[in-house]
Amino acid sequence: MVKENLLKVLNDIREIEKSCGRKEGSVKLLAVSKFHSYESVIEAFNAGQLAFGENRVQEADEKFAKINEELGEGKTELHIIGSLQRNKVKTAVKIASVIESVDRIELLQEIEKQCAKIDKKIKVLFELHTGEDSKSGFPDVESLKAALQYCADGNCPHVIPFGFMTMAPFTSDEAVIRKSFSSLRETAELLSKEYPEFSMKELSMGMSGDYRIAIEEGSTEVRIGTAIFGERDYSQGVK
Ligand SMILES: *Cc1c(COP(=O)(O)O)cnc(C)c1O
């Protein structure tokens, strides 16, 4: 089932790219495997999917240790997409190649500290709060800009600012969702101009329920869980 779902989503992404006049392949797929088993990840990998997103560090660490054991180290790419506590950063930077959910300067400081220890550079996305009822992300453009300035001042040599991320509000009101995505795109355009020293091309936006709108609004990466792996069973805990 995972394979069929994955191929359907990929096909859908290509169709949407075409229908809104975007270049084929300009939108990447991040398969969000949180709450799903390691077997599901292997199934997706066997169907050609390489990039996976997880929002809880401990779950990701356990699952991807097994996956690396089975497939060999470095075959998959892991992105941390959930809000990150300081005490989880050490493990997060060890296992991930991108942290998509940077939402405060203190987190940047901890990422820098832990990356320096293991001599690793890591890509980060700056998460912006763009909708009324989403709680995660920098609360406004000013605070996000302060974090970028902190990097521009040379405080984080191991951090590579790579783009922006947002979650649209949970609503069926398409106009509200579209506004959330377009405001991230506008912010990204503005800040990319202000900080040309960083190549912040990534716009991570769009989930199972709203990725069409996100692609129409310029997303370069959609983060999709349910449409690939099915509903999450929160009662089972970590598998
Ligand atoms: C869970 C999650 C997703 C995937 O959501 P689906 O609706 O299952 O596609 C995407 N982004 C973030 C930040 C998530 O936590």
Side-chain angles (χ1 to χ4, degrees):
M1 211 42 199
V2 169
K3 181 177 179 180
E4 286 78 2
N5 291 344
L6 180 74
L7 297 179
K8 187 179 168 296
V9 167
L10 279 171
N11 193 51
D12 211 27
I13 292 172
R14 299 288 95 94
E15 291 287 328
I16 301 166
E17 282 172 344
K18 207 189 274 176
S19 75
C20 59
R22 295 190 53 192
K23 203 170 137 229
E24 185 177 340
S26 52
V27 181
K28 294 188 296 289
L29 172 62
L30 187 73
V32 176
S33 48
K34 67 185 186 196
F35 287 92
H36 288 284
S37 67
Y38 120 96
E39 287 89 348
S40 299
V41 175
I42 300 278
E43 224 181 307
F45 175 82
N46 287 334
Q49 180 66 24
L50 303 180
F52 296 89
E54 291 274 345
N55 69 340
R56 297 187 308 173
V57 173
Q58 195 188 333
E59 175 186 345
D61 188 26
E62 289 167 10
K63 199 184 297 180
F64 281 79
K66 273 173 92 176
I67 288 161
N68 286 339
E69 217 171 275
E70 173 143 343
L71 301 176
E73 206 71 44
K75 289 280 165 52
T76 57
E77 175 183 324
L78 180 64
H79 296 203
I80 296 294
I81 60 173
S83 63
L84 192 51
Q85 290 167 281
R86 179 186 273 260
N87 63 353
K88 300 284 165 54
V89 171
K90 184 180 178 185
T91 305
V93 302
K94 192 183 80 193
I95 61 177
S97 56
V98 185
I99 294 182
E100 299 207 0
S101 38
V102 169
D103 60 359
R104 57 197 193 278
I105 288 185
E106 299 78 66
L107 190 56
L108 276 177
Q109 292 169 328
E110 188 64 18
I111 291 171
E112 172 58 31
K113 181 175 151 195
Q114 297 300 338
C115 280
K117 277 191 197 164
I118 58 171
D119 196 22
K120 174 176 178 170
K121 288 196 174 175
I122 196 158
K123 290 177 183 166
V124 305
L125 305 185
F126 294 85
E127 182 178 358
L128 182 63
H129 175 133
T130 56
E132 259 84 274
D133 59 358
S134 84
K135 285 178 223 78
S136 52
F138 284 98
D140 47 47
V141 176
E142 288 68 40
S143 57
L144 194 162
K145 196 178 153 179
L148 261 176
Q149 185 60 45
Y150 183 79
C151 293
D153 289 339
N155 292 304
C156 308
H158 295 83
V159 171
I160 305 168
F162 192 60
F164 304 90
M165 187 269 242
T166 200
M167 275 170 97
F170 294 101
T171 169
S172 54
D173 187 340
E174 192 179 312
V176 172
I177 296 170
R178 192 174 290 281
K179 185 154 181 294
S180 159
F181 293 146
S182 64
S183 76
L184 187 73
R185 188 194 61 232
E186 284 159 14
T187 300
E189 284 166 358
L190 184 86
L191 294 176
S192 297
K193 274 203 202 102
E194 284 199 45
Y195 294 94
E197 64 267 55
F198 302 131
S199 178
M200 299 188 286
K201 298 276 185 283
E202 200 82 289
L203 267 189
S204 173
M205 52 190 204
M207 308 182 10
S208 293
D210 57 21
Y211 67 90
R212 168 178 295 275
I213 304 171
I215 294 171
E216 288 169 358
E217 293 300 328
S219 170
T220 63
E221 181 193 83
V222 291
R223 309 177 308 269
I224 299 191
T226 311
I228 297 172
F229 297 110
E231 294 293 333
R232 289 178 284 275
D233 183 356
Y234 295 108
S235 70
Q236 295 287 312
V238 180
K239 279 188 244 167

